[in-house]
Amino acid sequence: MFYSFAKGVLWFLFRLLFRMRISGLAHVPKEGPFILCANHIHLFDGPAMLAFSPRRLALMAKKELFRKKILAAIFRAAQVFPVDRAATADMEAYRHTLKMLGEGKGLLIFAQGTRMKAFENSKSGVAMFALKSGAPIVPVGISGRYRLFSRVYIKFGPPISMEPFAGRKIKSDLLAEVMDIVVPRITDLTK
């Protein structure tokens, strides 16, 4: 219930404060697990994605955002869960992500792991989760400026199926192969 309320409030605020242009929503699968993989240009990207995604999303966020109890409670109610970016592998976040995908839910991951003006230094975590779960990756490009009444574009691209990679051992070369498909798609959507 909180998620729906928060989504409605965010949708209204983003529409009121920014000239949002959303396209390609039909590319988000109507059922089953999926991963929205986007570039990350501003603190508002996560809330905007939650507001405009046609399906409910879980979102991985840096654990530092969970230090304040009230904020942590709000995040958890909105299906935002912490990840320790300093750890080599945050196994709790890893297991939680695969659990969510195993339950057929949608997940939002920012490929860079942090905010960057240019889309570069993508991490391969999204490929790992997609290959492990079989969930398609929906590339998303975010561009524009989150300034009052400025235009912000969110473009959803066609899903990238993991079926062509099924049965292959998940190693660094396979992760790189998947990201070699994902990264140009996101880059194209930011133009």
Side-chain angles (χ1 to χ4, degrees):
M1 182 159 170
F2 177 80
Y3 186 94
S4 298
F5 172 75
K7 180 180 175 72
V9 169
L10 289 170
W11 186 93
F12 176 76
L13 288 173
F14 278 106
R15 288 284 187 192
L16 179 68
L17 301 175
F18 309 108
R19 297 185 313 164
M20 303 298 294
R21 293 292 182 256
I22 314 300
S23 62
L25 288 175
H27 293 304
V28 177
K30 303 229 182 306
E31 58 185 37
F34 66 97
I35 300 171
L36 294 183
C37 182
N39 61 312
H40 195 9
I41 60 171
H42 196 278
L43 182 64
F44 289 163
D45 292 338
M49 295 295 289
L50 293 176
F52 294 106
S53 171
R55 282 189 55 199
R56 192 177 188 134
L57 295 173
L59 169 63
M60 191 183 290
K62 61 183 178 180
K63 73 173 186 173
E64 293 82 4
L65 295 175
F66 290 77
R67 288 186 180 145
K68 304 273 187 209
K69 288 186 180 184
I70 293 174
L71 198 54
I74 291 169
F75 281 151
R76 289 187 200 289
Q79 292 195 343
V80 179
F81 61 97
V83 62
D84 184 354
R85 296 183 308 166
T88 305
D90 183 341
M91 292 311 292
E92 188 175 335
Y94 175 82
R95 283 190 291 273
H96 185 74
T97 300
L98 290 177
K99 178 181 179 283
M100 300 286 279
L101 292 169
E103 293 171 356
K105 296 182 178 171
L107 179 72
L108 169 61
I109 296 179
F110 293 112
Q112 300 148 293
T114 191
R115 291 186 304 271
M116 293 182 180
K117 290 187 186 205
F119 185 55
E120 54 191 29
N121 301 325
S122 296
K123 311 268 189 252
S124 61
V126 65
M128 172 67 80
F129 292 129
L131 291 165
K132 284 270 190 187
S133 67
I137 298 171
V138 178
V140 182
I142 304 170
S143 58
R145 292 187 159 193
Y146 289 97
R147 288 191 179 160
L148 197 58
F149 308 123
S150 291
R151 197 173 299 277
V152 176
Y153 299 89
I154 300 178
K155 299 176 187 175
F156 295 78
I160 300 165
S161 173
M162 293 299 108
E163 285 183 27
F165 308 105
R168 291 177 59 187
K169 204 166 194 170
I170 301 175
K171 292 183 174 180
S172 59
D173 61 333
L174 180 57
L175 297 175
E177 190 176 331
V178 171
M179 293 310 291
D180 285 346
I181 296 168
V182 173
V183 170
R185 299 264 188 102
I186 294 172
T187 302
D188 288 345
L189 291 166
T190 61
K191 296 177 182 171

